[in-house]
Amino acid sequence: MAKKGKMKISKVKRNNQTTNKMRKKGQLKLQRHKQKVQKQGQPTTQDVQYSSESEPSGDEFGDMLDDEEQQYLMSRLSKQPQLLSNVPEEEKINKNSRKRKREKKEKPPKKLNTVGSDSGAESEALSDSDIEDKYEQELAERPVKKMRPLLPIKTKDGLMERTEECEDTESETEIQGEETQKSIKQTEDHSSEASDSDSGMGGTGEEDTHVEGDQKVVSTVELMAARRDKLQSDKLRIGALCSSLLESPEKKLKNLFPILYLMEERLKDNTLNLHSTRKLATLSAFEVFKDILPEYMIRHQDYSNIKLKKDTLSLYKYEKELLEFYKRYLQRLEKAAGVLRLRKGDNRKLDEPTLSLALVSLQCMCGLLVARPYFNYAPNIAQSVAPHLDSSHGDARKLVTDCCASVFREDNKGDITLVIVRLINQLVKRRGERLSPSALDCLLTLKIRDIDMDAEAEIKNKKRIDEKHKKRIVNLSKKEKKRSKKLKEVERELLETQAQESEMSRRKQLTEVTKTVFHIYFRLLKTAPRSQLLAAALNGLAKFTHVINLEYYSDLVSILGQLLSDELVGPRERLLCVQTVLAILAGSGDALNVDPAKFHAYLYYAMLGVHAGCSHEHAPIVIEAVSLVCGRARRVSAGVLQAFAKRLATLATQLQHNAALACLSLLHALTQQSKAVASLLELDGELGSGRFDPSLASPEHCNAHSARLHELHALRRHHHPALGRAAALLLRGAPTDHNNMTPLQIFEAYDGSQMAFKPAVPPPKRTETLKQKKITPTHIWAQNSLKEFCETVENSVNMDIITER
């Protein structure tokens, strides 16, 4: 029963509607057994005739069909005789059938004159000759294949030229077919084509590319102008995005999407991005992140099952998106800077734009590590940056070394410092002697020198004993114990809110750093005693020797003594060995029973070879070593001190002014500490027995007590005013002008390698320009009688000379 409000539709009409809809959509399937519409004047039925030559006989059908299939076909034909009405009088020849072709070749076909045949019957009944003519005509219409010349072959008869057929692409055939038309219409439609190409409506893209490739030539000036316009538009876009992002980071954080997109190598249309644009986007994102990143680490928890306030939820989403953008930015930086890390055997030279972009990316990573050492992904940045300490590019090494030194100086917690030191330790293990010596220079900036482990241990033990004694005296009740426990928890929470690490954790981190650093130095002393890394290890040991336990002092001194006697070790490394041993003896190692005569003798002998030439770089090491000797002057014999004083005066005459000033400062310190050294300044005093021999290697047997400091009189007339003044004051026994400075500070302050004068040269005074009177030269006669005689001769002689012709 039909519903109310709707008309009843018949089944035929509904089928027609469905058929029409399917026909419009193209979903209607054709009927296979549709009766063929006959033309007017033709009989409705045709007698189907079968030829015995082309079709199989009934016996053959009988062999092909089973009994049940034959009965089924006969029953269908008796009920529906119109099934045979669509059978054609002659089946079309299937060109793909091999059987039909064989029959066609054996017996030529006959023309069928059937009533009501279609117009396509003539094409079906073509002869073999017509087909061959058609095939030859198609071959003639095909274009000639393009021949490509090959290299000739040398034979007995001579050179034989060779060619090869190459297939033309569709674009090449189109170009060849349209060359004549373009040459005719080139002059007429030149202006219209230009306007169409500018507007973007000048035909298809293929035609435009052909015209540009064949006719239009882009000059260098046009390319530079297009590059300038593209770069200017990218600058404006990046500036607008960054400025709007900094105004409200919570709302405009999505602006980082296009900025990070401009850092990619290729754009969406697969075109190469400009290196200048990539560098601008990299530096702009670096400045943005440096401004909006917090100084603490973001730690998120799962708040899916907890109801949060609207502001808290928005802050949580903002921090999550910020971390995601920061991660993508660091991935792009690491990819761009990764080209600097060449694999073993890779000797490729980077082009200048790629190298510049890699250095900019590395600089941004180092800047982020220095600016935000406690933020997320700081250990990942350190892991990406540390291998560049051994880079083959000097600029990359300098960037990473300065970055690590800055982090070591400013780190108060010690977490990131420990991470970097461990990475350097892994680098030393992996590279060994092949490591660059500058990779260990950053370790000298560690804060290990400011801490005395032994003193801290004593204070800690004393504090522990006092606390135990206090607990014994005061017996707390249960309530007081609970109260003290709660107070400790509150204090711990206050420390966490103030972002301050406890003292115990910081000491623990510092202890691990110290262990790792000395593990690096001792490994180099053991595995690479003759490499360039020995100098870096000895510098570190000399600086941090006060942290070493007393148990290792004797072993370390013996190892350094062996290196001092090794002839394959360089002179600089030997001086560093002496400096390290003297630093150990000047500190806690003074309690050891070690005779430093061997080290004093080598230092005294090596000082004479240091001069203002190629060995001037050894001057700071010598000055530091002699200052360590002066520091323990009470434990050194008077003869050794006099020998070093005489050698310092000699050394001041052959060094540059800054090193000479440092030597005079040390000499002044020795004269204040020892009367034996002060006696060398007395020119009228009694000389000791013997004769001073500066060529002897032993400072104790060179008879320095019989020498005098005559070099100071020569230094009084030095061209540098500060050095001359210091020498004059030292001769008079007065204090010098640099008593408040250490010798190394004087050496650095008066260093002229930075093209700066100290004291500064005063500018010339302005003087008024006065006209100077011309002074006529006058003759002076020693004898008046000679003057009178010359005047009489001049007056009596006729000076008129007449030439005869």
Side-chain angles (χ1 to χ4, degrees):
M1 184 174 182
K3 295 182 180 180
K4 294 182 179 180
K6 290 186 179 181
M7 296 179 63
K8 188 175 181 181
I9 302 175
S10 63
K11 187 175 182 180
V12 177
K13 189 173 181 180
R14 190 177 297 279
N15 292 337
N16 291 338
Q17 290 177 356
T18 305
T19 305
N20 292 333
K21 288 180 181 179
M22 293 177 67
R23 184 183 290 110
K24 289 180 181 179
K25 293 181 181 180
Q27 299 177 354
L28 186 63
K29 295 183 180 180
L30 299 176
Q31 297 180 4
R32 295 182 180 180
H33 303 290
K34 187 176 181 180
Q35 292 184 1
K36 194 172 184 179
V37 180
Q38 302 293 336
K39 293 183 179 180
Q40 294 182 1
Q42 294 181 357
T44 56
T45 60
Q46 295 181 358
D47 296 336
V48 181
Q49 298 179 0
Y50 297 94
S51 60
S52 60
E53 296 176 353
S54 61
E55 295 295 332
S57 61
D59 296 332
E60 293 175 355
F61 274 116
D63 296 335
M64 295 168 61
L65 300 177
D66 297 337
D67 296 335
E68 295 179 358
E69 293 176 351
Q70 290 180 7
Q71 292 178 3
Y72 174 76
L73 288 176
M74 295 301 295
S75 61
R76 287 293 304 274
L77 288 173
S78 61
K79 294 179 181 179
Q80 295 180 353
Q82 66 270 15
L83 291 175
L84 298 176
S85 61
N86 289 332
V87 178
E89 296 177 354
E90 182 181 1
E91 292 182 1
K92 295 181 180 180
I93 299 172
N94 189 5
K95 295 182 180 180
N96 296 329
S97 177
R98 295 181 181 179
K99 186 176 179 180
R100 296 296 182 186
K101 288 183 179 179
R102 289 175 184 173
E103 292 175 359
K104 199 169 185 178
K105 288 180 181 179
E106 293 175 358
K107 187 176 181 180
K110 298 180 180 180
K111 290 186 179 180
L112 300 176
N113 296 328
T114 57
V115 182
S117 62
D118 296 333
S119 60
E122 295 178 359
S123 62
E124 294 175 357
L126 290 175
S127 63
D128 293 339
S129 61
D130 295 339
I131 294 173
E132 292 176 358
D133 296 340
K134 187 176 181 181
Y135 178 74
E136 290 177 358
Q137 185 178 359
E138 290 179 357
L139 286 179
E141 291 178 356
R142 289 182 181 178
V144 182
K145 289 187 177 181
K146 188 176 180 180
M147 305 299 291
R148 182 177 64 181
L150 300 176
L151 293 175
I153 300 175
K154 188 174 182 180
T155 60
K156 295 181 180 180
D157 300 333
L159 294 176
M160 184 177 67
E161 300 292 338
R162 296 188 304 157
T163 57
E164 182 184 11
E165 295 182 358
C166 59
E167 297 181 357
D168 295 339
T169 58
E170 296 181 359
S171 60
E172 290 178 353
T173 54
E174 290 178 1
I175 292 172
Q176 293 176 359
E178 295 178 0
E179 279 180 353
T180 55
Q181 298 178 2
K182 290 179 181 178
S183 60
I184 296 173
K185 297 181 180 180
Q186 180 179 1
T187 55
E188 298 177 357
D189 301 332
H190 180 69
S191 59
S192 62
E193 287 177 2
S195 61
D196 292 342
S197 62
D198 293 338
S199 61
M201 300 176 62
T204 61
E206 295 180 359
E207 295 176 357
D208 294 342
T209 55
H210 296 332
V211 172
E212 290 177 1
D214 296 341
Q215 299 177 2
K216 188 175 180 181
V217 179
V218 181
S219 62
T220 307
V221 178
E222 293 176 351
L223 285 175
M224 295 298 293
R227 182 185 180 280
R228 181 194 60 192
D229 296 341
K230 178 70 167 56
L231 186 60
Q232 188 66 23
S233 63
D234 291 340
K235 281 183 181 179
L236 295 175
R237 184 184 180 188
I238 293 171
L241 290 170
C242 293
S243 60
S244 62
L245 175 59
L246 292 176
E247 288 176 0
S248 57
E250 294 82 3
K251 298 179 180 179
K252 299 295 184 65
L253 195 61
K254 300 292 184 182
N255 289 1
L256 289 171
F257 271 120
I259 296 175
L260 297 180
Y261 168 70
L262 292 176
M263 291 175 59
E264 294 290 341
E265 183 180 1
R266 291 186 177 272
L267 302 177
K268 291 182 179 179
D269 54 355
N270 204 22
T271 58
L272 287 174
N273 195 6
L274 295 177
H275 282 83
S276 301
T277 303
R278 297 177 66 185
K279 287 193 285 186
L280 285 173
T282 302
L283 293 172
S284 302
F286 164 69
E287 295 294 337
V288 168
F289 279 118
K290 196 167 68 171
D291 289 341
I292 65 177
L293 289 180
E295 295 184 357
Y296 56 88
M297 182 181 290
I298 298 176
R299 296 176 181 175
H300 287 299
Q301 299 178 1
D302 188 10
Y303 298 111
S304 58
N305 299 327
I306 303 174
K307 290 185 178 180
L308 300 175
K309 294 182 180 179
K310 187 176 181 181
D311 297 339
T312 307
L313 186 60
S314 62
L315 180 60
Y316 171 75
K317 291 181 178 179
Y318 165 72
E319 290 179 347
K320 190 175 181 179
E321 291 179 358
L322 181 62
L323 281 179
E324 184 65 27
F325 281 118
Y326 188 55
K327 181 180 178 181
R328 295 181 183 179
Y329 176 66
L330 292 178
Q331 289 174 350
R332 284 166 172 79
L333 290 181
E334 185 180 8
K335 182 180 178 181
V339 297
L340 296 174
R341 298 176 59 184
L342 298 178
R343 295 182 178 179
K344 186 178 180 180
D346 191 358
N347 298 325
R348 292 179 299 173
K349 291 185 178 180
L350 299 175
D351 52 343
E352 187 175 354
T354 305
L355 179 60
S356 176
L357 178 62
L359 290 176
V360 168
S361 302
L362 184 62
Q363 181 183 359
C364 292
M365 282 197 290
C366 294
L368 288 172
L369 185 60
V370 174
R372 299 292 182 268
Y374 310 129
F375 191 66
N376 301 63
Y377 305 117
N380 303 87
I381 299 175
Q383 192 172 2
S384 301
V385 163
H388 292 283
L389 287 170
D390 194 34
S391 177
S392 58
H393 300 276
D395 296 336
R397 289 199 304 270
K398 189 176 184 303
L399 281 173
V400 181
T401 304
D402 296 342
C403 169
C404 295
S406 301
V407 172
F408 292 158
R409 281 193 298 265
E410 299 175 4
D411 185 20
N412 295 323
K413 297 181 179 181
D415 296 335
I416 192 65
T417 300
L418 181 59
V419 171
I420 297 176
V421 170
R422 284 176 175 173
L423 290 171
I424 295 175
N425 186 22
Q426 294 176 4
L427 193 64
V428 172
K429 288 181 181 179
R430 187 170 63 252
R431 297 289 295 172
E433 297 182 1
R434 299 172 295 172
L435 185 66
S436 176
S438 60
L440 303 179
D441 292 343
C442 58
L443 296 178
L444 299 176
T445 58
L446 288 169
K447 294 182 180 181
I448 301 175
R449 191 171 185 177
D450 301 334
I451 298 167
D452 191 357
M453 293 293 184
D454 296 334
E456 289 180 359
E458 292 177 359
I459 294 171
K460 193 177 292 183
N461 292 331
K462 187 178 179 180
K463 187 178 180 180
R464 190 179 303 160
I465 293 170
D466 293 340
E467 287 180 354
K468 287 182 179 180
H469 184 63
K470 185 179 178 180
K471 286 182 180 179
R472 289 175 184 174
I473 295 173
V474 181
N475 293 323
L476 299 176
S477 62
K478 292 184 178 180
K479 292 183 179 180
E480 291 175 346
K481 288 181 180 180
K482 290 182 179 179
R483 184 180 180 185
S484 61
K485 188 176 180 180
K486 291 181 179 179
L487 286 174
K488 288 181 180 179
E489 291 179 357
V490 172
E491 289 176 358
R492 192 182 300 113
E493 291 178 358
L494 288 174
L495 288 174
E496 292 178 356
T497 54
Q498 293 175 2
Q500 296 178 355
E501 292 292 330
S502 63
E503 191 67 19
M504 291 182 63
S505 62
R506 195 173 82 82
R507 298 297 181 188
K508 185 178 180 181
Q509 298 285 354
L510 189 59
T511 304
E512 292 295 328
V513 169
T514 307
K515 289 180 181 179
T516 309
V517 169
F518 282 104
H519 183 69
I520 293 172
Y521 291 151
F522 291 149
R523 175 187 291 274
L524 293 175
L525 285 178
K526 184 178 179 181
T527 60
R530 298 174 182 175
S531 64
Q532 297 179 353
L533 296 172
L534 179 62
L538 292 173
N539 278 327
L541 289 173
K543 187 171 184 179
F544 306 127
T545 184
H546 64 284
V547 189
I548 305 175
N549 293 331
L550 293 175
E551 303 173 359
Y552 304 107
Y553 276 165
S554 58
D555 296 336
L556 184 59
V557 170
S558 63
I559 291 173
L560 295 177
Q562 294 175 4
L563 291 176
L564 191 64
S565 59
D566 192 354
E567 296 180 356
L568 297 178
V569 179
R572 178 181 174 84
E573 285 74 14
R574 291 186 184 182
L575 287 174
L576 287 172
C577 290
V578 174
Q579 179 187 353
T580 306
V581 172
L582 293 176
I584 292 172
L585 296 177
S588 302
D590 197 13
L592 297 176
N593 295 323
V594 177
D595 186 11
K598 179 181 179 180
F599 302 98
H600 288 168
Y602 182 81
L603 178 61
Y604 177 76
Y605 172 76
M607 285 174 66
L608 199 60
V610 180
H611 51 79
C614 59
S615 61
H616 182 70
E617 60 181 4
H618 301 164
I621 305 174
V622 171
I623 292 170
E624 181 66 20
V626 177
S627 63
L628 291 173
V629 174
C630 296
R632 53 192 306 269
R634 294 181 181 181
R635 295 180 177 272
V636 182
S637 62
V640 175
L641 292 178
Q642 288 176 341
F644 275 109
K646 181 62 179 177
R647 189 54 55 92
L648 282 173
T650 306
L651 194 62
T653 59
Q654 61 188 23
L655 290 176
Q656 296 183 11
H657 60 276
N658 57 337
L661 278 171
C663 292
L664 293 185
S665 176
L666 285 173
L667 188 57
H668 176 71
L670 283 175
T671 56
Q672 297 295 322
Q673 292 178 357
S674 175
K675 292 181 180 181
V677 177
S679 64
L680 300 178
L681 295 173
E682 300 175 359
L683 299 180
D684 298 334
E686 295 181 0
L687 296 176
S689 61
R691 182 181 178 184
F692 172 66
D693 188 2
S695 61
L696 287 177
S698 177
E700 295 181 355
H701 303 90
C702 64
N703 295 327
H705 59 277
S706 61
R708 290 294 179 265
L709 302 179
H710 301 287
E711 294 86 359
L712 296 179
H713 294 279
L715 291 173
R716 289 175 60 187
R717 296 176 178 84
H718 198 272
H719 67 276
H720 197 278
L723 183 57
R725 178 177 173 79
L729 292 174
L730 187 58
L731 281 173
R732 287 182 289 176
T736 59
D737 299 336
H738 312 97
N739 290 333
N740 298 328
M741 300 173 65
T742 62
L744 286 180
Q745 289 176 354
I746 295 172
F747 182 85
E748 295 175 357
Y750 286 89
D751 188 9
S753 61
Q754 302 298 328
M755 301 304 294
F757 295 99
K758 187 174 182 179
V761 178
K765 297 180 180 180
R766 294 183 179 180
T767 56
E768 298 179 358
T769 57
L770 299 176
K771 294 182 179 179
Q772 299 179 355
K773 296 181 180 180
K774 293 183 179 180
I775 301 174
T776 57
T778 57
H779 300 283
I780 300 175
W781 296 90
Q783 297 179 0
N784 293 328
S785 60
L786 180 62
K787 178 181 179 183
E788 293 175 358
F789 176 76
C790 291
E791 288 178 353
T792 55
V793 171
E794 185 179 357
N795 293 332
S796 62
V797 175
N798 188 10
M799 301 299 296
D800 296 335
I801 301 173
I802 301 173
T803 58
E804 295 180 359
R805 295 181 179 178

